[in-house]
PDB file of all heavy atoms in Angstrom:
ATOM      1  N   LEU U  58      29.036  13.314  14.631  1.00  0.00           N
ATOM      2  CA  LEU U  58      30.479  13.392  14.771  1.00  0.00           C
ATOM      3  C   LEU U  58      30.814  14.154  16.064  1.00  0.00           C
ATOM      4  O   LEU U  58      31.721  13.673  16.780  1.00  0.00           O
ATOM      5  CB  LEU U  58      31.081  14.134  13.564  1.00  0.00           C
ATOM      6  CG  LEU U  58      32.581  14.268  13.518  1.00  0.00           C
ATOM      7  CD1 LEU U  58      33.214  12.872  13.502  1.00  0.00           C
ATOM      8  CD2 LEU U  58      32.964  15.104  12.296  1.00  0.00           C
ATOM      9  N   VAL U  59      30.152  15.215  16.311  1.00  0.00           N
ATOM     10  CA  VAL U  59      30.429  16.012  17.555  1.00  0.00           C
ATOM     11  C   VAL U  59      30.139  15.135  18.812  1.00  0.00           C
ATOM     12  O   VAL U  59      30.873  15.092  19.713  1.00  0.00           O
ATOM     13  CB  VAL U  59      29.595  17.333  17.558  1.00  0.00           C
ATOM     14  CG1 VAL U  59      29.592  17.949  18.999  1.00  0.00           C
ATOM     15  CG2 VAL U  59      30.078  18.304  16.544  1.00  0.00           C
ATOM     16  N   ASP U  60      28.995  14.392  18.727  1.00  0.00           N
ATOM     17  CA  ASP U  60      28.634  13.542  19.809  1.00  0.00           C
ATOM     18  C   ASP U  60      29.665  12.413  20.038  1.00  0.00           C
ATOM     19  O   ASP U  60      30.013  12.110  21.158  1.00  0.00           O
ATOM     20  CB  ASP U  60      27.250  12.935  19.592  1.00  0.00           C
ATOM     21  CG  ASP U  60      26.123  13.957  19.661  1.00  0.00           C
ATOM     22  OD1 ASP U  60      26.342  15.102  20.163  1.00  0.00           O
ATOM     23  OD2 ASP U  60      24.996  13.644  19.226  1.00  0.00           O
ATOM     24  N   ALA U  61      30.086  11.867  18.940  1.00  0.00           N
ATOM     25  CA  ALA U  61      31.123  10.774  19.030  1.00  0.00           C
ATOM     26  C   ALA U  61      32.441  11.294  19.579  1.00  0.00           C
ATOM     27  O   ALA U  61      33.073  10.639  20.454  1.00  0.00           O
ATOM     28  CB  ALA U  61      31.344  10.165  17.630  1.00  0.00           C
ATOM     29  N   GLN U  62      32.844  12.466  19.179  1.00  0.00           N
ATOM     30  CA  GLN U  62      34.053  13.098  19.714  1.00  0.00           C
ATOM     31  C   GLN U  62      33.956  13.365  21.207  1.00  0.00           C
ATOM     32  O   GLN U  62      34.839  13.075  22.013  1.00  0.00           O
ATOM     33  CB  GLN U  62      34.379  14.364  18.983  1.00  0.00           C
ATOM     34  CG  GLN U  62      34.891  14.190  17.554  1.00  0.00           C
ATOM     35  CD  GLN U  62      35.059  15.444  16.786  1.00  0.00           C
ATOM     36  OE1 GLN U  62      34.425  16.456  17.044  1.00  0.00           O
ATOM     37  NE2 GLN U  62      35.917  15.396  15.745  1.00  0.00           N
ATOM     38  N   LYS U  63      32.820  13.906  21.637  1.00  0.00           N
ATOM     39  CA  LYS U  63      32.582  14.186  22.996  1.00  0.00           C
ATOM     40  C   LYS U  63      32.568  12.855  23.816  1.00  0.00           C
ATOM     41  O   LYS U  63      33.191  12.806  24.910  1.00  0.00           O
ATOM     42  CB  LYS U  63      31.229  14.859  23.188  1.00  0.00           C
ATOM     43  CG  LYS U  63      30.957  15.351  24.642  1.00  0.00           C
ATOM     44  CD  LYS U  63      29.568  15.989  24.771  1.00  0.00           C
ATOM     45  CE  LYS U  63      29.519  17.314  24.182  1.00  0.00           C
ATOM     46  NZ  LYS U  63      28.216  18.016  24.438  1.00  0.00           N
ATOM     47  N   GLN U  64      31.925  11.825  23.250  1.00  0.00           N
ATOM     48  CA  GLN U  64      31.921  10.541  23.944  1.00  0.00           C
ATOM     49  C   GLN U  64      33.329   9.939  24.103  1.00  0.00           C
ATOM     50  O   GLN U  64      33.691   9.413  25.121  1.00  0.00           O
ATOM     51  CB  GLN U  64      30.958   9.570  23.242  1.00  0.00           C
ATOM     52  CG  GLN U  64      30.754   8.258  23.984  1.00  0.00           C
ATOM     53  CD  GLN U  64      29.782   7.364  23.237  1.00  0.00           C
ATOM     54  OE1 GLN U  64      29.542   7.540  22.051  1.00  0.00           O
ATOM     55  NE2 GLN U  64      29.299   6.389  23.927  1.00  0.00           N
ATOM     56  N   ALA U  65      34.074  10.102  23.035  1.00  0.00           N
ATOM     57  CA  ALA U  65      35.468   9.606  23.046  1.00  0.00           C
ATOM     58  C   ALA U  65      36.298  10.272  24.112  1.00  0.00           C
ATOM     59  O   ALA U  65      37.126   9.680  24.797  1.00  0.00           O
ATOM     60  CB  ALA U  65      36.100   9.698  21.656  1.00  0.00           C
ATOM     61  N   GLU U  66      36.115  11.633  24.188  1.00  0.00           N
ATOM     62  CA  GLU U  66      36.900  12.372  25.150  1.00  0.00           C
ATOM     63  C   GLU U  66      36.480  11.988  26.597  1.00  0.00           C
ATOM     64  O   GLU U  66      37.321  11.822  27.453  1.00  0.00           O
ATOM     65  CB  GLU U  66      36.623  13.878  24.935  1.00  0.00           C
ATOM     66  CG  GLU U  66      37.231  14.479  23.713  1.00  0.00           C
ATOM     67  CD  GLU U  66      36.815  15.915  23.452  1.00  0.00           C
ATOM     68  OE1 GLU U  66      36.010  16.453  24.187  1.00  0.00           O
ATOM     69  OE2 GLU U  66      37.299  16.451  22.416  1.00  0.00           O
ATOM     70  N   GLU U  67      35.196  11.763  26.802  1.00  0.00           N
ATOM     71  CA  GLU U  67      34.706  11.337  28.115  1.00  0.00           C
ATOM     72  C   GLU U  67      35.250   9.931  28.442  1.00  0.00           C
ATOM     73  O   GLU U  67      35.649   9.695  29.581  1.00  0.00           O
ATOM     74  CB  GLU U  67      33.196  11.335  28.142  1.00  0.00           C
ATOM     75  CG  GLU U  67      32.607  12.719  28.162  1.00  0.00           C
ATOM     76  CD  GLU U  67      31.093  12.738  28.003  1.00  0.00           C
ATOM     77  OE1 GLU U  67      30.425  11.658  27.994  1.00  0.00           O
ATOM     78  OE2 GLU U  67      30.496  13.846  27.984  1.00  0.00           O
TER      79      GLU U  67
END
Side-chain angles (χ1 to χ4, degrees):
L58 182 62
V59 167
D60 293 344
Q62 287 173 337
K63 187 184 283 187
Q64 187 179 18
E66 289 171 1
E67 289 172 3

